[in-house]
Each structure stands twice: as C-alpha cells, then as structure tokens.
Amino acid sequence: AVVSTQSVTESLLRLKFPHEETICEYIEEYLSVDKKYNDVLMELRDYYSIMLDKGKHGGWGNEDHILFRHITQQYPVDKFQRSTLCLEMLKLVMCHKTELELKEHGEWVQLYDMYWEHRKSIKHMHQSALQKLVVTAEADCKQQWVQVREMRQKADEILSQKENTARIFENLLRCRADKLKKIRAEEKELSGYQERMNKERAEFERRRAKQRKADKDKIQVFNEMKEDKQKEFERRLEQLKDKQAAMKKNKLAAGKKRVDHRHELHDKKLEEQAAAEAQQHEEEQRRKEQLDKLAATVAVEAPYDPARVHRDTKATTARLKESDYIGKFQLFKVVGYEDSAISGDMRWKVEKALRNAGLMTTDYGRQIMKNIAPPVEPRKDMISTVFKKDNET
C-alpha cells in the first residue's frame, strides 16, 4: 500500500529517541530524500514540457480524444501489426481527421502515457524510500532503547555483583577456618589409622608365608605322584608296543598266503583270456575262408576293356532308337500361332521397342500402339466397345 508523505512525516516525528541528535539526523536525511525525488519529478516535467503544454487531450476535443482512446484500446498491445490496424480503424471512424493528425495524436498519447508511468514509478520509489527511512528509524529507536536498558541492567548487575563478591569473601574466610579445623582432626585420626594398618599388614604377611609353605609341600607331593604315574604309563606303553609288533608279525604271515593265492588266480585268469582270444582268432579265419569261397563262386568273368566304360549300354542304345520315331507323326491338330508369325507382327516389334525404352506404360506409348493396324483386319463382331469414346475423340 502507498503511504502518504504527511503520514510518513508524522510517524517519524512521533518517534522518541533516547538521544535528541539522532532524530535530527533522521529528519535531515528525510528532507534530503524528499528534495531528491522532487527534483527528479521537476526534471521529468521539464523533459515532457512540450507534450504537457498541449493539455490533457493533446489539443483535441474531449469527445475526439475519448473516441481515439476507445478505438486504440480495442487492440491488444502484443497484436501483430497493431499500429496499422488502429490507423485503418481510426480513418474509418474519424473521417474528419487526416492521417498525419491521427499519427501525431497517437505519438502524443504514447508520450503522455509514458510520462504518467514514469511519474507513478518515481512517486512509488519516493514513498518506498521514505517508508524505508521510517522503518529504519523505528528499528534504530528500538535498538537504542534496548541498548539503554541493557546498559542500565548491566550497571545494576555490576553493583549486585560487587555486593555478592563481598558476601562470598566473608563466607570464604569462615569456610577456610572451619576447613583447617577439620584437616587437623583428620590428620590425628589418620595417624591412628596408619598404626592399625601396619599391625594388620604384619599379621597378613605372617599368615601368607605360612600358607605359601603349606602350598609348596602340597606341590612337591603332587609332582612325586605325577612322576610315578608317568613311569607306570611308559611301562604299559612298552608292553602295548611289543604286543602290537607280535600281532603285526602274525598278520604278515597270514597275508602272504592270501597274496600268493591271489597271484595264482590272476595267472589262471590270464591263461583263460589268451585261450579265448586264440579260439576267436581261429573262428574269424574260418569265417573269412568261407566268404572267399562264396565270392569266388559269384565272380564276374569279363575281358579287360577300359574303353567299355565310356560306351553306351544296350538299354541306352535301345532308347535312342525309340526316340527317332518321336515327333515325326502328328497325333492331334495344333491350333495356335507359330513363333515366326508372332515375331513378324509389327505390333509385337513396336511393343518390344517401347518396353525397352520404358515408354510402354505412358500415354505416348499407348497412343502409338492404338494407331498400329494388325496384319489381318479382325471381324466387326470382335471389335471391343470399351474404348469407343476414346476412338471417337
């Protein structure tokens, strides 16, 4: 919201600073800002003085000016060729005005709107600067009053601190005296406690030495028992080793017999395999001799003639003789055209030339084919009427 200059001035004068020179400084700054923006407004008025001398309607009548404004406002500012459209509409509506007068008045309206936009922005900046100055003054006033209250509070705290320091010092002296009395009583009690502790320590050392001697005797007895057990274990271990060696010896003797028996079985198996292989070989030889005898009975006896491989067989010669009669006798009547008759037709030759030239599918090629006469005129009842219209045209 825009705040008036008078309300800003009253807000500034209502402030109560703890120091009078501060309000004087802010008033001087306020007058400086006000003078600065008033000078800017005067410069703006001087800059647009020629335009402002023409009055509020730019030298036109009130009705003409309002009509001009109404027509120009019908077209959006960002519309393509807005100025041209406005001028054409103004020419139609305002016939009593020339094109030059319409253009000059349009320029005056633009300058007039620009002047008021600049004036409005400067006024807004003027009010914002003054309002900012008042806000700064109010914040500074609050800050100064806070500092004053802090300084007063700090002075009160220093005075209270001094009083507390004196009171604490008195209490400290009294506590120190009481502490010295307690220290003397504790030292006396500590000396008696030290004597009792020395007596208890001596009794503890005596009991400890006695206990160590008893533990040493027990350890010695335990070590002797352990040595006896180790000797008994070694003796039993030797006996067990001797027993295992005897058992191993007996086991080796029994194992030797089994190994010899296995070797005999293996040799026997090898002999049987060799006999089976020999029998199989004899069977194969016998079968081969029988096959050779059968092959000798069915063998072909033919003289050696390498050229016989390239000659025709009897079956081939017989078929060649039969083919001499094929095609020499006409079984049925042939109805059709011979190759020479088709290739001698002029239409076939022209069609082949057009197809090779790539013109067969064009209108030119079809026109040429239509104009070529056949070798023999067809009967009238065989002429097609599909392309009759094309022939007439």
Side-chain angles (χ1 to χ4, degrees):
V2 179
V3 183
S4 63
T5 308
Q6 184 177 359
S7 63
V8 173
T9 308
E10 292 175 356
S11 301
L12 186 62
L13 294 175
R14 279 200 302 268
L15 296 176
K16 294 181 180 180
F17 286 87
H19 307 289
E20 293 182 357
E21 59 272 11
T22 307
I23 187 63
C24 295
E25 292 176 359
Y26 276 107
I27 290 173
E28 290 177 359
E29 187 174 354
Y30 172 83
L31 295 174
S32 175
V33 172
D34 190 47
K35 183 178 180 303
K36 173 185 173 183
Y37 282 98
N38 286 331
D39 293 342
V40 172
L41 288 173
M42 292 301 295
E43 290 177 1
L44 181 66
R45 185 173 181 81
D46 293 340
Y47 182 78
Y48 289 98
S49 60
I50 298 173
M51 179 270 299
L52 294 173
D53 291 341
K54 293 183 179 181
K56 298 168 71 173
H57 302 142
W60 282 21
N62 187 19
E63 295 180 357
D64 292 340
H65 179 70
I66 291 173
L67 181 60
F68 184 88
R69 280 281 194 180
H70 179 70
I71 292 171
T72 54
Q73 288 175 358
Q74 289 180 355
Y75 298 93
V77 179
D78 56 348
K79 186 173 182 61
F80 181 67
Q81 294 183 353
R82 177 180 179 274
S83 59
T84 306
L85 296 173
C86 289
L87 185 59
E88 293 296 331
M89 182 58 70
L90 289 170
K91 285 180 182 181
L92 294 174
V93 177
M94 305 179 73
C95 302
H96 58 284
K97 296 289 185 180
T98 63
E99 183 178 352
L100 181 60
E101 289 177 346
L102 293 173
K103 288 183 178 179
E104 289 178 353
H105 193 69
E107 294 175 357
W108 179 88
V109 169
Q110 290 180 358
L111 291 174
Y112 186 79
D113 293 342
M114 194 181 300
Y115 166 75
W116 282 105
E117 286 292 332
H118 288 177
R119 181 181 175 84
K120 184 179 178 180
S121 63
I122 292 169
K123 281 284 187 181
H124 181 70
M125 291 169 63
H126 186 192
Q127 296 295 337
S128 299
L130 295 178
Q131 183 67 20
K132 184 177 180 182
L133 179 62
V134 171
V135 172
T136 305
E138 290 176 353
D140 194 10
C141 181
K142 291 179 182 179
Q143 183 68 22
Q144 288 186 10
W145 279 113
V146 169
Q147 291 177 357
V148 168
R149 284 195 294 272
E150 288 179 353
M151 290 176 65
R152 291 175 182 174
Q153 186 177 1
K154 191 173 183 180
D156 295 340
E157 289 178 356
I158 291 172
L159 182 61
S160 176
Q161 189 175 6
K162 288 181 179 179
E163 294 176 355
N164 293 332
T165 303
R167 187 167 57 255
I168 291 169
F169 185 69
E170 292 177 359
N171 294 333
L172 182 62
L173 292 177
R174 187 168 57 255
C175 291
R176 189 173 182 183
D178 296 340
K179 192 173 183 179
L180 286 174
K181 291 179 182 179
K182 289 181 180 179
I183 290 172
R184 291 192 184 96
E186 289 176 357
E187 287 178 353
K188 186 176 181 180
E189 185 179 356
L190 184 61
S191 61
Y193 176 76
Q194 190 71 27
E195 291 177 0
R196 290 195 302 272
M197 288 295 296
N198 291 334
K199 289 180 182 179
E200 291 177 359
R201 187 180 294 109
E203 182 67 19
F204 175 76
E205 291 294 336
R206 185 180 64 77
R207 291 178 183 177
R208 189 176 179 185
K210 187 176 179 181
Q211 182 68 30
R212 283 182 179 177
K213 186 176 180 182
D215 294 340
K216 190 174 181 181
D217 295 338
K218 289 180 181 180
I219 292 170
Q220 187 175 1
V221 172
F222 176 77
N223 289 333
E224 290 176 356
M225 292 175 64
K226 189 176 180 181
E227 289 178 359
D228 294 339
K229 287 182 179 181
Q230 183 67 25
K231 289 179 181 179
E232 181 67 18
F233 175 76
E234 291 177 356
R235 185 180 63 76
R236 289 183 180 180
L237 185 62
E238 289 294 333
Q239 291 178 358
L240 183 62
K241 286 182 178 179
D242 296 340
K243 189 175 180 181
Q244 287 179 352
M247 291 175 65
K248 188 175 181 180
K249 200 171 191 181
N250 296 332
K251 203 173 194 181
L252 287 173
K256 189 171 184 300
K257 292 180 180 179
R258 288 197 296 273
V259 169
D260 294 340
H261 180 65
R262 287 177 183 172
H263 286 168
E264 292 176 1
L265 293 175
H266 183 66
D267 294 340
K268 187 177 180 181
K269 186 176 181 180
L270 291 176
E271 291 175 358
E272 291 176 355
Q273 289 179 355
E277 290 178 358
Q279 185 177 358
Q280 185 178 2
H281 182 67
E282 291 176 0
E283 185 69 22
E284 289 179 356
Q285 289 292 333
R286 185 178 59 77
R287 191 182 296 113
K288 187 176 180 181
E289 290 176 358
Q290 290 178 358
L291 291 174
D292 292 341
K293 289 179 180 179
L294 290 173
T297 57
V298 297
V300 178
E301 295 180 2
Y304 178 74
D305 187 7
R308 179 171 171 271
V309 178
H310 302 284
R311 289 200 298 269
D312 295 333
T313 61
K314 293 181 178 180
T316 304
T317 305
R319 285 197 298 272
L320 290 174
K321 289 181 179 180
E322 291 178 0
S323 62
D324 293 341
Y325 299 96
I326 297 174
K328 293 183 178 180
F329 302 98
Q330 185 175 359
L331 299 179
F332 305 99
K333 183 179 180 180
V334 178
V335 180
Y337 301 95
E338 295 182 357
D339 295 343
S340 58
I342 294 173
S343 61
D345 192 347
M346 183 58 65
R347 293 176 296 176
W348 182 83
K349 296 179 180 179
V350 173
E351 188 268 341
K352 184 178 180 182
L354 291 173
R355 192 175 298 278
N356 293 334
L359 301 174
M360 189 60 197
T361 57
T362 61
D363 295 337
Y364 173 73
R366 287 192 287 271
Q367 186 67 25
I368 291 175
M369 291 297 298
K370 186 176 69 172
N371 296 330
I372 298 175
V376 179
E377 290 293 332
R379 297 183 305 181
K380 293 182 179 182
D381 57 349
M382 296 180 65
I383 297 175
S384 175
T385 59
V386 175
F387 303 102
K388 186 176 180 181
K389 294 182 180 180
D390 295 339
N391 294 330
E392 291 176 356
T393 57

